[in-house]
Amino acid sequence: MARTDVVIAGYAETRVVYQSGRSAYDFAGLALSDLLEKTGIAKDEIDGLSVTLALSEGTNPFFAVYMADALGLTPTWLNAGGIGGCSAAGGVARAMWAIREGACRIAVVLSADAPSTAFRANYGAYRPEFQDPQGVQGPPATFGLLMSRYDHQYGLDPRALGKIAVTQRAHALRNPNALDKFRKPLTMDDYLASRPIADPLRVLDCVMYCDGANAFLVMSAEEARARGIEKVAHPTAYAEVTNHNGADPLADITDSGFYRIAPKVFAKAGLTPAGIDMFQPYDDFTIAVLMQLEAFGFCTTGEGSAFVRDTDLSFTGTLPLNTGGGQISAGQPGLASGGLNLAEAVRQLFGEGGERQVPGVRNALVTGIGVIPYGRNWGCSAAMILEV
């Protein structure tokens, strides 16, 4: 039986902005201030803090400590999330464990980044010739390789990827927090005419770096009831895996860790793919969305293109997809991006989706992706099921 003793009792999210000129600390302060105002929690009541490491702040090993200082918090439990886009959901899961163990009582899971203003990340690893080889210009090139291999193995319909992009853009137009640069409709013709940047990957298959933050309040269900907090989301299942197939020197690049963790989250929540009301997957590239639909059993492997073509993915459809526009059409605030999809899921479950509210929604499947190694699938996979 799924455990529902710890809940997400509040969320906050800044607008996503391009080249804001502000730091991750600035955006963190905005998100925390909004969270406190919305929930009525006093800052000195927060005794747990999980922070996602930020591209804009480089490789500072004490980033979480300095964030606590910048925000004026004195936590008895501190976590630094170093699994990229998995860090928001992973931070919520770790906060839940900490609360159950008595390490803290009220935790904030905070992700803030500003890579379009300052990018100080170093992707170096112990095998630099395979981690970031000469001539590979970032994640689009590695995902271009992934798309090419997937197309070779199973066949890939560009119009299916285009439908993902077009659907999410339509959702972003209803999201006041989305990036201003994306505030215009997108058609299939627009998508197909967009230039290739890492063949076969098009520019409209990609996210755009920007700045922003999000935050989540985590506490026991008992604590929430005692405070009169009525809107809560129950994380009923969580699983993650890092370095899937890591011992295989020539692993299948299309085999992601989601195949390993999908059965776990469904079993923990007592649900099946058919019982999922909406899907909020990590969407740094359109191919990642299509591949996750397969990995989580919405369709069989290799049938993603047909499933996308035949399924209504709009917020009023049979499987609402990234109803806030996702990162592809709301913008990717660096490593805070995993919280963007999670915030949209919580917003919808709270019934606060506004013009894009999913009718009758009772649960959501949220995912995270972290690390993009060259010539392999993504390095971290995480999934969480939330229910009301």
Side-chain angles (χ1 to χ4, degrees), residues 33-358:
S33 177
D34 188 26
L35 183 67
L36 297 179
E37 182 177 350
K38 289 171 65 175
T39 61
I41 298 293
K43 189 170 70 170
D44 60 7
E45 294 182 282
I46 298 168
D47 57 356
L49 179 64
S50 177
V51 176
T52 299
L53 301 180
L55 295 171
S56 57
E57 301 303 321
T59 55
N60 185 343
F62 301 111
F63 178 63
V65 178
Y66 290 139
M67 183 63 79
D69 181 32
L71 299 176
L73 299 175
T74 305
T76 58
W77 171 79
L78 182 66
N79 177 63
I83 48 177
C86 302
S87 296
V92 169
R94 286 158 176 78
M96 294 170 68
W97 301 332
I99 290 168
R100 287 171 180 152
E101 289 298 317
C104 62
R105 188 168 60 94
I106 300 175
V108 169
V109 177
L110 179 65
S111 301
D113 206 351
S116 71
T117 291
F119 190 93
R120 300 187 179 95
N122 177 7
Y123 289 128
Y126 73 103
R127 291 290 297 275
E129 70 272 29
F130 294 114
Q131 179 70 14
D132 195 11
Q134 189 71 23
V136 175
Q137 297 182 5
T142 58
F143 266 87
L145 291 173
L146 176 60
M147 286 178 65
S148 293
R149 182 60 185 172
Y150 180 96
D151 190 25
H152 174 76
Q153 289 182 259
Y154 305 113
L156 181 60
D157 183 356
R159 289 183 171 271
L161 300 181
K163 182 177 178 180
I164 292 170
V166 170
T167 300
Q168 294 195 184
R169 178 65 64 87
H171 291 161
L173 293 175
R174 297 170 178 262
N175 181 0
N177 285 333
L179 192 67
D180 284 341
K181 285 179 176 287
F182 292 150
R183 293 201 172 280
K184 59 181 180 179
L186 179 68
T187 68
M188 182 64 75
D189 287 342
D190 292 333
Y191 170 81
L192 294 174
S194 65
R195 61 186 174 87
I197 58 173
D199 190 38
L201 184 142
R202 294 172 164 84
V203 68
L204 288 178
D205 287 312
C206 307
V207 293
M208 180 176 177
Y209 266 155
C210 49
D211 308 341
N214 44 75
F216 304 89
L217 189 69
V218 184
M219 63 177 65
S220 70
E222 181 181 8
E223 182 83 35
R225 285 192 297 269
R227 292 174 174 273
I229 298 176
E230 297 180 355
K231 291 183 179 181
V232 299
H234 298 266
T236 54
Y238 176 78
E240 69 180 53
V241 63
T242 297
N243 203 28
H244 178 59
N245 290 333
D248 186 343
L250 195 60
D252 181 354
I253 192 174
T254 65
D255 179 14
S256 76
F258 289 121
Y259 282 98
R260 180 171 174 178
I261 66 174
K264 293 183 179 180
V265 291
F266 285 132
K268 286 179 180 178
L271 291 170
T272 65
I276 295 298
D277 289 344
M278 63 180 175
F279 190 32
Q280 308 283 355
Y282 194 91
D283 60 314
D284 45 357
F285 297 89
T286 55
I287 184 64
V289 176
L290 186 145
M291 292 175 65
Q292 288 177 80
L293 288 167
E294 297 177 350
F296 282 97
F298 294 106
C299 59
T300 59
T301 300
E303 296 299 318
S305 291
F307 178 83
V308 169
R309 288 196 309 265
D310 298 340
T311 304
D312 186 349
L313 302 174
S314 71
F315 71 96
T316 58
T318 52
L319 183 63
L321 174 72
N322 280 335
T323 50
Q327 299 164 51
I328 288 173
S329 274
Q332 186 187 57
L335 294 184
S337 55
L340 185 145
N341 303 66
L342 180 59
E344 177 64 15
V346 176
R347 178 184 292 109
Q348 289 284 345
L349 292 173
F350 281 11
E352 299 175 356
E355 294 182 351
R356 62 187 190 278
Q357 178 63 46
V358 176

